[in-house]
Amino acid sequence: MRLRIIYGCPSSIRKGLITIEKLKKAGEKLFNLYFGIGVVAMGLLAVLVVFAVIARYFFSHSWKELAEFNTTLFAFTTFWGMGINVIKNEHVMIDILYDGVKPAIKRWLAVLNYVIVMIVDLVFTWQGFKYVAVAGKQISQGMEIPMKYMYGIMPVCGIICALCIVVKIVEFITADVSYFEPKNKALTKDEAAA
Protein backbone atom coordinates (compact mmCIF):
# COMPACT_ATOMS: atom_id res chain seq x y z
CA MET A 1 0.00 0.00 0.00
CA ARG A 2 2.78 2.43 0.90
CA LEU A 3 4.54 1.90 -2.47
CA ARG A 4 1.29 2.62 -4.28
CA ILE A 5 0.90 5.93 -2.43
CA ILE A 6 4.51 6.97 -3.02
CA TYR A 7 4.70 6.07 -6.68
CA GLY A 8 1.08 6.93 -7.49
CA CYS A 9 -1.43 4.90 -9.39
CA PRO A 10 -2.72 5.40 -12.93
CA SER A 11 -5.96 6.97 -11.72
CA SER A 12 -4.14 9.58 -9.60
CA ILE A 13 -1.82 10.41 -12.51
CA ARG A 14 -4.84 10.79 -14.78
CA LYS A 15 -6.52 13.11 -12.26
CA GLY A 16 -3.33 15.14 -11.99
CA LEU A 17 -3.11 15.51 -15.77
CA ILE A 18 -6.76 16.55 -15.96
CA THR A 19 -6.12 19.17 -13.27
CA ILE A 20 -3.10 20.50 -15.19
CA GLU A 21 -5.16 20.72 -18.39
CA LYS A 22 -7.92 22.59 -16.53
CA LEU A 23 -5.33 25.01 -15.15
CA LYS A 24 -3.90 25.56 -18.63
CA LYS A 25 -7.36 26.28 -20.06
CA ALA A 26 -8.14 28.66 -17.19
CA GLY A 27 -4.77 30.36 -17.75
CA GLU A 28 -5.50 30.78 -21.46
CA LYS A 29 -8.91 32.29 -20.72
CA LEU A 30 -7.36 34.62 -18.15
CA PHE A 31 -4.65 35.68 -20.60
CA ASN A 32 -7.25 36.25 -23.36
CA LEU A 33 -9.17 38.53 -20.97
CA TYR A 34 -5.94 40.32 -20.03
CA PHE A 35 -4.96 40.71 -23.69
CA GLY A 36 -8.50 41.80 -24.63
CA ILE A 37 -8.47 44.59 -22.06
CA GLY A 38 -5.19 45.82 -23.57
CA VAL A 39 -6.61 45.71 -27.10
CA VAL A 40 -9.75 47.62 -26.08
CA ALA A 41 -7.64 50.23 -24.27
CA MET A 42 -5.38 50.68 -27.32
CA GLY A 43 -8.39 50.97 -29.63
CA LEU A 44 -10.05 53.50 -27.34
CA LEU A 45 -6.81 55.47 -27.12
CA ALA A 46 -6.50 55.60 -30.92
CA VAL A 47 -10.11 56.76 -31.38
CA LEU A 48 -9.89 59.41 -28.66
CA VAL A 49 -6.56 60.80 -29.89
CA VAL A 50 -7.89 61.10 -33.45
CA PHE A 51 -11.06 62.73 -32.11
CA ALA A 52 -9.06 65.20 -29.98
CA VAL A 53 -6.79 66.14 -32.90
CA ILE A 54 -9.71 66.67 -35.29
CA ALA A 55 -11.63 68.71 -32.70
CA ARG A 56 -8.59 70.87 -31.96
CA TYR A 57 -7.36 71.54 -35.51
CA PHE A 58 -10.62 71.71 -37.44
CA PHE A 59 -13.00 73.11 -34.84
CA SER A 60 -10.58 74.90 -32.47
CA HIS A 61 -12.04 73.07 -29.52
CA SER A 62 -10.20 71.07 -26.88
CA TRP A 63 -11.03 69.55 -23.52
CA LYS A 64 -8.50 69.43 -20.73
CA GLU A 65 -10.35 66.41 -19.32
CA LEU A 66 -9.94 64.49 -22.58
CA ALA A 67 -6.28 65.42 -22.89
CA GLU A 68 -5.61 64.19 -19.35
CA PHE A 69 -7.65 61.03 -19.90
CA ASN A 70 -5.69 60.30 -23.09
CA THR A 71 -2.41 60.72 -21.22
CA THR A 72 -3.62 58.38 -18.48
CA LEU A 73 -4.87 55.85 -21.02
CA PHE A 74 -1.51 55.98 -22.81
CA ALA A 75 0.28 55.26 -19.52
CA PHE A 76 -2.18 52.46 -18.81
CA THR A 77 -1.58 50.76 -22.17
CA THR A 78 2.19 51.04 -21.73
CA PHE A 79 2.27 49.49 -18.27
CA TRP A 80 -0.50 46.99 -19.07
CA GLY A 81 1.59 45.69 -21.96
CA MET A 82 4.51 44.71 -19.71
CA GLY A 83 2.98 41.40 -18.72
CA ILE A 84 1.73 40.69 -22.23
CA ASN A 85 5.26 41.14 -23.56
CA VAL A 86 6.59 38.76 -20.93
CA ILE A 87 4.05 36.03 -21.73
CA LYS A 88 4.46 36.42 -25.50
CA ASN A 89 8.30 36.65 -25.37
CA GLU A 90 8.11 40.02 -27.11
CA HIS A 91 10.71 41.79 -25.02
CA VAL A 92 13.96 42.96 -26.58
CA MET A 93 16.61 40.29 -26.74
CA ILE A 94 19.84 39.93 -28.68
CA ASP A 95 19.89 36.22 -29.34
CA ILE A 96 22.97 35.70 -31.52
CA LEU A 97 25.03 34.36 -28.61
CA TYR A 98 22.01 32.90 -26.84
CA ASP A 99 21.10 30.73 -29.85
CA GLY A 100 24.64 29.32 -29.87
CA VAL A 101 24.24 27.85 -26.38
CA LYS A 102 23.09 24.25 -25.87
CA PRO A 103 19.33 23.99 -25.21
CA ALA A 104 19.84 22.42 -21.76
CA ILE A 105 21.92 25.41 -20.68
CA LYS A 106 19.50 27.84 -22.38
CA ARG A 107 16.75 26.74 -20.02
CA TRP A 108 18.69 27.97 -16.99
CA LEU A 109 19.87 31.12 -18.77
CA ALA A 110 16.22 31.89 -19.53
CA VAL A 111 15.28 31.29 -15.88
CA LEU A 112 18.15 33.52 -14.72
CA ASN A 113 17.09 36.19 -17.23
CA TYR A 114 13.53 36.17 -15.92
CA VAL A 115 14.69 36.21 -12.29
CA ILE A 116 16.57 39.43 -13.13
CA VAL A 117 13.45 40.77 -14.87
CA MET A 118 11.46 39.86 -11.74
CA ILE A 119 13.86 41.80 -9.53
CA VAL A 120 13.56 44.87 -11.76
CA ASP A 121 9.77 44.51 -11.83
CA LEU A 122 9.56 44.20 -8.04
CA VAL A 123 11.70 47.33 -7.59
CA PHE A 124 9.45 49.13 -10.11
CA THR A 125 6.32 47.95 -8.26
CA TRP A 126 7.68 48.93 -4.83
CA GLN A 127 8.68 52.38 -6.09
CA GLY A 128 5.25 52.69 -7.74
CA PHE A 129 3.54 52.08 -4.40
CA LYS A 130 5.80 54.64 -2.72
CA TYR A 131 5.08 57.19 -5.47
CA VAL A 132 1.32 56.67 -5.21
CA ALA A 133 1.52 57.17 -1.43
CA VAL A 134 3.30 60.51 -1.91
CA ALA A 135 1.65 61.97 -5.01
CA GLY A 136 -1.69 60.16 -4.98
CA LYS A 137 -3.42 62.69 -2.73
CA GLN A 138 -3.27 65.49 -5.30
CA ILE A 139 -6.34 66.22 -7.40
CA SER A 140 -5.83 66.17 -11.17
CA GLN A 141 -6.48 69.43 -12.99
CA GLY A 142 -8.36 67.93 -15.91
CA MET A 143 -10.57 65.13 -14.62
CA GLU A 144 -10.51 66.44 -11.03
CA ILE A 145 -9.97 63.03 -9.45
CA PRO A 146 -7.29 61.94 -6.97
CA MET A 147 -4.03 61.20 -8.75
CA LYS A 148 -3.82 57.83 -6.97
CA TYR A 149 -6.20 56.48 -9.62
CA MET A 150 -3.83 57.60 -12.35
CA TYR A 151 -0.53 56.70 -10.68
CA GLY A 152 -1.99 53.47 -9.29
CA ILE A 153 -1.60 52.02 -12.78
CA MET A 154 2.12 51.50 -12.11
CA PRO A 155 2.03 49.19 -9.07
CA VAL A 156 -1.07 47.30 -10.24
CA CYS A 157 0.51 46.53 -13.62
CA GLY A 158 3.78 45.70 -11.86
CA ILE A 159 1.99 43.04 -9.81
CA ILE A 160 0.33 41.63 -12.94
CA CYS A 161 3.71 41.58 -14.69
CA ALA A 162 5.26 39.75 -11.72
CA LEU A 163 2.58 37.06 -12.02
CA CYS A 164 3.34 36.76 -15.74
CA ILE A 165 7.06 36.39 -14.94
CA VAL A 166 6.30 33.57 -12.50
CA VAL A 167 4.23 31.83 -15.19
CA LYS A 168 7.14 32.09 -17.65
CA ILE A 169 9.69 30.80 -15.13
CA VAL A 170 7.46 27.79 -14.40
CA GLU A 171 7.01 27.29 -18.15
CA PHE A 172 10.79 27.34 -18.70
CA ILE A 173 11.45 24.87 -15.89
CA THR A 174 8.76 22.42 -17.03
CA ALA A 175 9.24 22.77 -20.81
CA ASP A 176 10.78 20.05 -22.94
CA VAL A 177 14.38 20.78 -23.94
CA SER A 178 13.24 21.13 -27.59
CA TYR A 179 11.52 24.39 -26.54
CA PHE A 180 14.99 25.92 -26.29
CA GLU A 181 16.19 24.95 -29.77
CA PRO A 182 17.48 27.94 -31.79
CA LYS A 183 14.58 29.96 -33.21
CA ASN A 184 16.64 32.06 -35.63
CA LYS A 185 19.13 30.23 -37.76
CA ALA A 186 21.25 31.71 -40.52
CA LEU A 187 20.04 31.00 -44.03
CA THR A 188 22.30 29.21 -46.44
CA LYS A 189 22.83 30.62 -49.94
CA ASP A 190 20.39 28.06 -51.37
CA GLU A 191 17.68 28.94 -48.82
CA ALA A 192 18.19 32.68 -49.36
CA ALA A 193 17.91 32.28 -53.17
CA ALA A 194 14.63 30.36 -52.91
Side-chain angles (χ1 to χ4, degrees), residues 29 31 39 44 51 57-58 61 66 72 76-77 87-88 93 102 107 119 135 142 151 153 155 158 172 189-190 193:
K29 287 180 182 179
F31 177 76
V39 168
L44 181 62
F51 174 77
Y57 286 107
F58 292 109
H61 194 74
L66 182 60
T72 303
F76 173 81
T77 57
I87 293 290
K88 293 271 191 186
M93 181 173 160
K102 292 179 183 179
R107 172 192 316 270
I119 291 167
Y151 296 141
I153 293 167
F172 290 149
K189 289 182 183 180
D190 295 335

PDB file of all heavy atoms in Angstrom, residues 29 31 39 44 51 57-58 61 66 72 76-77 87-88 93 102 107 119 135 142 151 153 155 158 172 189-190 193:
ATOM      1  N   LYS A  29      -7.749  31.397 -20.791  1.00  0.00           N
ATOM      2  CA  LYS A  29      -8.913  32.293 -20.718  1.00  0.00           C
ATOM      3  C   LYS A  29      -8.548  33.585 -19.992  1.00  0.00           C
ATOM      4  O   LYS A  29      -8.941  34.671 -20.410  1.00  0.00           O
ATOM      5  CB  LYS A  29     -10.084  31.605 -20.032  1.00  0.00           C
ATOM      6  CG  LYS A  29     -10.733  30.547 -20.878  1.00  0.00           C
ATOM      7  CD  LYS A  29     -11.885  29.889 -20.163  1.00  0.00           C
ATOM      8  CE  LYS A  29     -12.488  28.794 -21.029  1.00  0.00           C
ATOM      9  NZ  LYS A  29     -13.589  28.115 -20.351  1.00  0.00           N
ATOM     10  N   PHE A  31      -5.527  34.890 -19.736  1.00  0.00           N
ATOM     11  CA  PHE A  31      -4.653  35.677 -20.604  1.00  0.00           C
ATOM     12  C   PHE A  31      -5.451  36.347 -21.717  1.00  0.00           C
ATOM     13  O   PHE A  31      -5.191  37.507 -22.056  1.00  0.00           O
ATOM     14  CB  PHE A  31      -3.534  34.828 -21.220  1.00  0.00           C
ATOM     15  CG  PHE A  31      -2.680  35.626 -22.158  1.00  0.00           C
ATOM     16  CD1 PHE A  31      -1.745  36.517 -21.670  1.00  0.00           C
ATOM     17  CD2 PHE A  31      -2.851  35.524 -23.526  1.00  0.00           C
ATOM     18  CE1 PHE A  31      -0.978  37.291 -22.518  1.00  0.00           C
ATOM     19  CE2 PHE A  31      -2.089  36.292 -24.393  1.00  0.00           C
ATOM     20  CZ  PHE A  31      -1.149  37.172 -23.887  1.00  0.00           C
ATOM     21  N   VAL A  39      -6.182  45.372 -25.737  1.00  0.00           N
ATOM     22  CA  VAL A  39      -6.611  45.710 -27.101  1.00  0.00           C
ATOM     23  C   VAL A  39      -7.697  46.778 -27.073  1.00  0.00           C
ATOM     24  O   VAL A  39      -7.655  47.754 -27.844  1.00  0.00           O
ATOM     25  CB  VAL A  39      -7.089  44.441 -27.841  1.00  0.00           C
ATOM     26  CG1 VAL A  39      -7.811  44.791 -29.130  1.00  0.00           C
ATOM     27  CG2 VAL A  39      -5.918  43.509 -28.115  1.00  0.00           C
ATOM     28  N   LEU A  44      -9.431  52.296 -27.900  1.00  0.00           N
ATOM     29  CA  LEU A  44     -10.050  53.500 -27.341  1.00  0.00           C
ATOM     30  C   LEU A  44      -9.081  54.677 -27.393  1.00  0.00           C
ATOM     31  O   LEU A  44      -9.464  55.799 -27.751  1.00  0.00           O
ATOM     32  CB  LEU A  44     -10.501  53.235 -25.904  1.00  0.00           C
ATOM     33  CG  LEU A  44     -11.197  54.382 -25.177  1.00  0.00           C
ATOM     34  CD1 LEU A  44     -12.484  54.769 -25.899  1.00  0.00           C
ATOM     35  CD2 LEU A  44     -11.491  53.983 -23.735  1.00  0.00           C
ATOM     36  N   PHE A  51      -9.961  61.803 -32.391  1.00  0.00           N
ATOM     37  CA  PHE A  51     -11.057  62.729 -32.111  1.00  0.00           C
ATOM     38  C   PHE A  51     -10.532  64.051 -31.553  1.00  0.00           C
ATOM     39  O   PHE A  51     -10.950  65.133 -31.993  1.00  0.00           O
ATOM     40  CB  PHE A  51     -12.046  62.093 -31.122  1.00  0.00           C
ATOM     41  CG  PHE A  51     -13.122  63.031 -30.674  1.00  0.00           C
ATOM     42  CD1 PHE A  51     -14.196  63.325 -31.492  1.00  0.00           C
ATOM     43  CD2 PHE A  51     -13.061  63.634 -29.418  1.00  0.00           C
ATOM     44  CE1 PHE A  51     -15.191  64.201 -31.082  1.00  0.00           C
ATOM     45  CE2 PHE A  51     -14.046  64.506 -28.994  1.00  0.00           C
ATOM     46  CZ  PHE A  51     -15.119  64.790 -29.829  1.00  0.00           C
ATOM     47  N   TYR A  57      -7.872  70.882 -34.298  1.00  0.00           N
ATOM     48  CA  TYR A  57      -7.361  71.537 -35.510  1.00  0.00           C
ATOM     49  C   TYR A  57      -8.453  71.997 -36.464  1.00  0.00           C
ATOM     50  O   TYR A  57      -8.281  72.992 -37.164  1.00  0.00           O
ATOM     51  CB  TYR A  57      -6.364  70.633 -36.229  1.00  0.00           C
ATOM     52  CG  TYR A  57      -5.054  70.570 -35.503  1.00  0.00           C
ATOM     53  CD1 TYR A  57      -4.683  69.433 -34.793  1.00  0.00           C
ATOM     54  CD2 TYR A  57      -4.197  71.663 -35.472  1.00  0.00           C
ATOM     55  CE1 TYR A  57      -3.488  69.382 -34.098  1.00  0.00           C
ATOM     56  CE2 TYR A  57      -3.008  71.625 -34.778  1.00  0.00           C
ATOM     57  CZ  TYR A  57      -2.659  70.481 -34.097  1.00  0.00           C
ATOM     58  OH  TYR A  57      -1.481  70.445 -33.405  1.00  0.00           O
ATOM     59  N   PHE A  58      -9.571  71.320 -36.507  1.00  0.00           N
ATOM     60  CA  PHE A  58     -10.617  71.711 -37.444  1.00  0.00           C
ATOM     61  C   PHE A  58     -11.716  72.545 -36.800  1.00  0.00           C
ATOM     62  O   PHE A  58     -12.377  73.336 -37.474  1.00  0.00           O
ATOM     63  CB  PHE A  58     -11.226  70.475 -38.117  1.00  0.00           C
ATOM     64  CG  PHE A  58     -10.271  69.777 -39.037  1.00  0.00           C
ATOM     65  CD1 PHE A  58      -9.732  68.554 -38.700  1.00  0.00           C
ATOM     66  CD2 PHE A  58      -9.884  70.363 -40.235  1.00  0.00           C
ATOM     67  CE1 PHE A  58      -8.839  67.916 -39.542  1.00  0.00           C
ATOM     68  CE2 PHE A  58      -8.997  69.736 -41.079  1.00  0.00           C
ATOM     69  CZ  PHE A  58      -8.473  68.504 -40.740  1.00  0.00           C
ATOM     70  N   HIS A  61     -11.440  73.407 -30.794  1.00  0.00           N
ATOM     71  CA  HIS A  61     -12.039  73.074 -29.515  1.00  0.00           C
ATOM     72  C   HIS A  61     -11.233  71.947 -28.868  1.00  0.00           C
ATOM     73  O   HIS A  61     -10.910  70.966 -29.512  1.00  0.00           O
ATOM     74  CB  HIS A  61     -13.501  72.630 -29.701  1.00  0.00           C
ATOM     75  CG  HIS A  61     -14.268  72.591 -28.425  1.00  0.00           C
ATOM     76  ND1 HIS A  61     -14.694  73.735 -27.788  1.00  0.00           N
ATOM     77  CD2 HIS A  61     -14.673  71.555 -27.659  1.00  0.00           C
ATOM     78  CE1 HIS A  61     -15.326  73.399 -26.682  1.00  0.00           C
ATOM     79  NE2 HIS A  61     -15.342  72.080 -26.593  1.00  0.00           N
ATOM     80  N   LEU A  66     -10.262  65.502 -21.571  1.00  0.00           N
ATOM     81  CA  LEU A  66      -9.941  64.494 -22.581  1.00  0.00           C
ATOM     82  C   LEU A  66      -8.430  64.361 -22.760  1.00  0.00           C
ATOM     83  O   LEU A  66      -7.913  63.242 -22.874  1.00  0.00           O
ATOM     84  CB  LEU A  66     -10.609  64.835 -23.916  1.00  0.00           C
ATOM     85  CG  LEU A  66     -10.385  63.842 -25.052  1.00  0.00           C
ATOM     86  CD1 LEU A  66     -10.913  62.462 -24.674  1.00  0.00           C
ATOM     87  CD2 LEU A  66     -11.036  64.343 -26.333  1.00  0.00           C
ATOM     88  N   THR A  72      -3.471  59.483 -19.430  1.00  0.00           N
ATOM     89  CA  THR A  72      -3.621  58.384 -18.479  1.00  0.00           C
ATOM     90  C   THR A  72      -3.812  57.060 -19.205  1.00  0.00           C
ATOM     91  O   THR A  72      -3.209  56.043 -18.837  1.00  0.00           O
ATOM     92  CB  THR A  72      -4.814  58.649 -17.536  1.00  0.00           C
ATOM     93  OG1 THR A  72      -4.619  59.897 -16.884  1.00  0.00           O
ATOM     94  CG2 THR A  72      -4.973  57.545 -16.518  1.00  0.00           C
ATOM     95  N   PHE A  76      -1.571  53.755 -19.114  1.00  0.00           N
ATOM     96  CA  PHE A  76      -2.177  52.459 -18.808  1.00  0.00           C
ATOM     97  C   PHE A  76      -1.784  51.410 -19.842  1.00  0.00           C
ATOM     98  O   PHE A  76      -1.371  50.304 -19.488  1.00  0.00           O
ATOM     99  CB  PHE A  76      -3.702  52.588 -18.749  1.00  0.00           C
ATOM    100  CG  PHE A  76      -4.407  51.271 -18.614  1.00  0.00           C
ATOM    101  CD1 PHE A  76      -4.518  50.657 -17.374  1.00  0.00           C
ATOM    102  CD2 PHE A  76      -4.948  50.637 -19.724  1.00  0.00           C
ATOM    103  CE1 PHE A  76      -5.154  49.434 -17.250  1.00  0.00           C
ATOM    104  CE2 PHE A  76      -5.583  49.415 -19.606  1.00  0.00           C
ATOM    105  CZ  PHE A  76      -5.693  48.815 -18.366  1.00  0.00           C
ATOM    106  N   THR A  77      -1.903  51.740 -21.126  1.00  0.00           N
ATOM    107  CA  THR A  77      -1.581  50.757 -22.169  1.00  0.00           C
ATOM    108  C   THR A  77      -0.105  50.380 -22.137  1.00  0.00           C
ATOM    109  O   THR A  77       0.248  49.223 -22.387  1.00  0.00           O
ATOM    110  CB  THR A  77      -1.954  51.272 -23.570  1.00  0.00           C
ATOM    111  OG1 THR A  77      -1.281  52.506 -23.831  1.00  0.00           O
ATOM    112  CG2 THR A  77      -3.447  51.460 -23.708  1.00  0.00           C
ATOM    113  N   ILE A  87       4.702  37.290 -21.359  1.00  0.00           N
ATOM    114  CA  ILE A  87       4.053  36.028 -21.728  1.00  0.00           C
ATOM    115  C   ILE A  87       4.324  35.671 -23.191  1.00  0.00           C
ATOM    116  O   ILE A  87       4.569  34.521 -23.528  1.00  0.00           O
ATOM    117  CB  ILE A  87       2.533  36.101 -21.464  1.00  0.00           C
ATOM    118  CG1 ILE A  87       2.246  36.190 -19.963  1.00  0.00           C
ATOM    119  CG2 ILE A  87       1.803  34.912 -22.084  1.00  0.00           C
ATOM    120  CD1 ILE A  87       2.531  34.941 -19.180  1.00  0.00           C
ATOM    121  N   LYS A  88       4.297  36.665 -24.062  1.00  0.00           N
ATOM    122  CA  LYS A  88       4.465  36.419 -25.503  1.00  0.00           C
ATOM    123  C   LYS A  88       5.930  36.417 -25.950  1.00  0.00           C
ATOM    124  O   LYS A  88       6.201  36.308 -27.140  1.00  0.00           O
ATOM    125  CB  LYS A  88       3.713  37.495 -26.293  1.00  0.00           C
ATOM    126  CG  LYS A  88       2.218  37.443 -26.159  1.00  0.00           C
ATOM    127  CD  LYS A  88       1.687  36.548 -27.197  1.00  0.00           C
ATOM    128  CE  LYS A  88       0.180  36.670 -27.284  1.00  0.00           C
ATOM    129  NZ  LYS A  88      -0.350  35.707 -28.202  1.00  0.00           N
ATOM    130  N   MET A  93      15.601  41.272 -27.089  1.00  0.00           N
ATOM    131  CA  MET A  93      16.614  40.286 -26.745  1.00  0.00           C
ATOM    132  C   MET A  93      17.564  40.138 -27.924  1.00  0.00           C
ATOM    133  O   MET A  93      17.123  40.004 -29.065  1.00  0.00           O
ATOM    134  CB  MET A  93      15.951  38.941 -26.443  1.00  0.00           C
ATOM    135  CG  MET A  93      16.895  37.868 -26.047  1.00  0.00           C
ATOM    136  SD  MET A  93      15.891  36.468 -25.539  1.00  0.00           S
ATOM    137  CE  MET A  93      17.067  35.185 -25.695  1.00  0.00           C
ATOM    138  N   LYS A 102      23.840  25.507 -25.874  1.00  0.00           N
ATOM    139  CA  LYS A 102      23.089  24.247 -25.872  1.00  0.00           C
ATOM    140  C   LYS A 102      21.725  24.460 -25.223  1.00  0.00           C
ATOM    141  O   LYS A 102      21.607  25.189 -24.234  1.00  0.00           O
ATOM    142  CB  LYS A 102      23.855  23.167 -25.120  1.00  0.00           C
ATOM    143  CG  LYS A 102      25.120  22.727 -25.803  1.00  0.00           C
ATOM    144  CD  LYS A 102      25.822  21.663 -24.982  1.00  0.00           C
ATOM    145  CE  LYS A 102      27.128  21.276 -25.649  1.00  0.00           C
ATOM    146  NZ  LYS A 102      27.854  20.266 -24.888  1.00  0.00           N
ATOM    147  N   ARG A 107      17.856  26.764 -20.988  1.00  0.00           N
ATOM    148  CA  ARG A 107      16.751  26.742 -20.024  1.00  0.00           C
ATOM    149  C   ARG A 107      17.115  27.559 -18.791  1.00  0.00           C
ATOM    150  O   ARG A 107      16.368  28.428 -18.353  1.00  0.00           O
ATOM    151  CB  ARG A 107      16.438  25.307 -19.615  1.00  0.00           C
ATOM    152  CG  ARG A 107      15.431  25.201 -18.474  1.00  0.00           C
ATOM    153  CD  ARG A 107      15.332  23.811 -17.872  1.00  0.00           C
ATOM    154  NE  ARG A 107      15.292  22.739 -18.832  1.00  0.00           N
ATOM    155  CZ  ARG A 107      14.175  22.241 -19.375  1.00  0.00           C
ATOM    156  NH1 ARG A 107      13.012  22.749 -19.038  1.00  0.00           N
ATOM    157  NH2 ARG A 107      14.243  21.245 -20.225  1.00  0.00           N
ATOM    158  N   ILE A 119      13.278  40.860 -10.491  1.00  0.00           N
ATOM    159  CA  ILE A 119      13.863  41.798  -9.525  1.00  0.00           C
ATOM    160  C   ILE A 119      13.599  43.237  -9.961  1.00  0.00           C
ATOM    161  O   ILE A 119      13.168  44.070  -9.158  1.00  0.00           O
ATOM    162  CB  ILE A 119      15.375  41.525  -9.350  1.00  0.00           C
ATOM    163  CG1 ILE A 119      15.587  40.182  -8.639  1.00  0.00           C
ATOM    164  CG2 ILE A 119      16.051  42.652  -8.569  1.00  0.00           C
ATOM    165  CD1 ILE A 119      17.015  39.673  -8.679  1.00  0.00           C
ATOM    166  N   ALA A 135       2.304  61.058  -4.061  1.00  0.00           N
ATOM    167  CA  ALA A 135       1.652  61.969  -5.012  1.00  0.00           C
ATOM    168  C   ALA A 135       0.175  61.667  -5.248  1.00  0.00           C
ATOM    169  O   ALA A 135      -0.503  62.426  -5.927  1.00  0.00           O
ATOM    170  CB  ALA A 135       2.394  61.922  -6.347  1.00  0.00           C
ATOM    171  N   GLY A 142      -7.402  68.157 -14.829  1.00  0.00           N
ATOM    172  CA  GLY A 142      -8.358  67.928 -15.906  1.00  0.00           C
ATOM    173  C   GLY A 142      -9.605  67.199 -15.444  1.00  0.00           C
ATOM    174  O   GLY A 142     -10.712  67.713 -15.482  1.00  0.00           O
ATOM    175  N   TYR A 151      -1.841  57.257 -10.982  1.00  0.00           N
ATOM    176  CA  TYR A 151      -0.532  56.697 -10.676  1.00  0.00           C
ATOM    177  C   TYR A 151      -0.621  55.242 -10.206  1.00  0.00           C
ATOM    178  O   TYR A 151       0.361  54.509 -10.258  1.00  0.00           O
ATOM    179  CB  TYR A 151       0.178  57.527  -9.614  1.00  0.00           C
ATOM    180  CG  TYR A 151       0.504  58.930 -10.051  1.00  0.00           C
ATOM    181  CD1 TYR A 151       0.371  59.997  -9.184  1.00  0.00           C
ATOM    182  CD2 TYR A 151       0.962  59.187 -11.337  1.00  0.00           C
ATOM    183  CE1 TYR A 151       0.683  61.286  -9.580  1.00  0.00           C
ATOM    184  CE2 TYR A 151       1.271  60.470 -11.741  1.00  0.00           C
ATOM    185  CZ  TYR A 151       1.123  61.514 -10.859  1.00  0.00           C
ATOM    186  OH  TYR A 151       1.443  62.786 -11.256  1.00  0.00           O
ATOM    187  N   ILE A 153      -1.821  52.900 -11.636  1.00  0.00           N
ATOM    188  CA  ILE A 153      -1.598  52.015 -12.777  1.00  0.00           C
ATOM    189  C   ILE A 153      -0.245  51.320 -12.644  1.00  0.00           C
ATOM    190  O   ILE A 153      -0.114  50.133 -12.950  1.00  0.00           O
ATOM    191  CB  ILE A 153      -1.661  52.830 -14.093  1.00  0.00           C
ATOM    192  CG1 ILE A 153      -3.074  53.350 -14.321  1.00  0.00           C
ATOM    193  CG2 ILE A 153      -1.174  52.018 -15.281  1.00  0.00           C
ATOM    194  CD1 ILE A 153      -3.162  54.412 -15.394  1.00  0.00           C
ATOM    195  N   PRO A 155       1.865  50.374  -9.916  1.00  0.00           N
ATOM    196  CA  PRO A 155       2.028  49.188  -9.072  1.00  0.00           C
ATOM    197  C   PRO A 155       1.086  48.042  -9.437  1.00  0.00           C
ATOM    198  O   PRO A 155       1.468  46.877  -9.345  1.00  0.00           O
ATOM    199  CB  PRO A 155       1.769  49.710  -7.655  1.00  0.00           C
ATOM    200  CG  PRO A 155       1.035  50.974  -7.813  1.00  0.00           C
ATOM    201  CD  PRO A 155       1.451  51.545  -9.130  1.00  0.00           C
ATOM    202  N   GLY A 158       2.565  46.374 -12.318  1.00  0.00           N
ATOM    203  CA  GLY A 158       3.781  45.704 -11.864  1.00  0.00           C
ATOM    204  C   GLY A 158       3.475  44.363 -11.212  1.00  0.00           C
ATOM    205  O   GLY A 158       4.186  43.376 -11.429  1.00  0.00           O
ATOM    206  N   PHE A 172       9.414  27.680 -18.318  1.00  0.00           N
ATOM    207  CA  PHE A 172      10.788  27.338 -18.697  1.00  0.00           C
ATOM    208  C   PHE A 172      11.274  26.084 -17.966  1.00  0.00           C
ATOM    209  O   PHE A 172      11.918  25.226 -18.551  1.00  0.00           O
ATOM    210  CB  PHE A 172      11.747  28.491 -18.403  1.00  0.00           C
ATOM    211  CG  PHE A 172      11.574  29.672 -19.297  1.00  0.00           C
ATOM    212  CD1 PHE A 172      11.848  30.946 -18.833  1.00  0.00           C
ATOM    213  CD2 PHE A 172      11.147  29.545 -20.603  1.00  0.00           C
ATOM    214  CE1 PHE A 172      11.711  32.056 -19.644  1.00  0.00           C
ATOM    215  CE2 PHE A 172      10.994  30.641 -21.430  1.00  0.00           C
ATOM    216  CZ  PHE A 172      11.276  31.902 -20.944  1.00  0.00           C
ATOM    217  N   LYS A 189      23.011  29.941 -48.655  1.00  0.00           N
ATOM    218  CA  LYS A 189      22.831  30.623 -49.940  1.00  0.00           C
ATOM    219  C   LYS A 189      21.659  30.030 -50.715  1.00  0.00           C
ATOM    220  O   LYS A 189      20.907  30.762 -51.358  1.00  0.00           O
ATOM    221  CB  LYS A 189      24.116  30.548 -50.755  1.00  0.00           C
ATOM    222  CG  LYS A 189      25.226  31.393 -50.217  1.00  0.00           C
ATOM    223  CD  LYS A 189      26.456  31.312 -51.090  1.00  0.00           C
ATOM    224  CE  LYS A 189      27.573  32.127 -50.464  1.00  0.00           C
ATOM    225  NZ  LYS A 189      28.795  32.084 -51.275  1.00  0.00           N
ATOM    226  N   ASP A 190      21.490  28.716 -50.649  1.00  0.00           N
ATOM    227  CA  ASP A 190      20.388  28.060 -51.366  1.00  0.00           C
ATOM    228  C   ASP A 190      19.044  28.483 -50.791  1.00  0.00           C
ATOM    229  O   ASP A 190      18.090  28.746 -51.530  1.00  0.00           O
ATOM    230  CB  ASP A 190      20.537  26.540 -51.294  1.00  0.00           C
ATOM    231  CG  ASP A 190      21.774  26.039 -52.013  1.00  0.00           C
ATOM    232  OD1 ASP A 190      22.237  26.754 -52.949  1.00  0.00           O
ATOM    233  OD2 ASP A 190      22.288  24.969 -51.649  1.00  0.00           O
ATOM    234  N   ALA A 193      18.255  32.112 -51.758  1.00  0.00           N
ATOM    235  CA  ALA A 193      17.914  32.278 -53.167  1.00  0.00           C
ATOM    236  C   ALA A 193      16.491  31.833 -53.458  1.00  0.00           C
ATOM    237  O   ALA A 193      15.871  32.332 -54.392  1.00  0.00           O
ATOM    238  CB  ALA A 193      18.900  31.484 -54.029  1.00  0.00           C
TER     239      ALA A 193
END
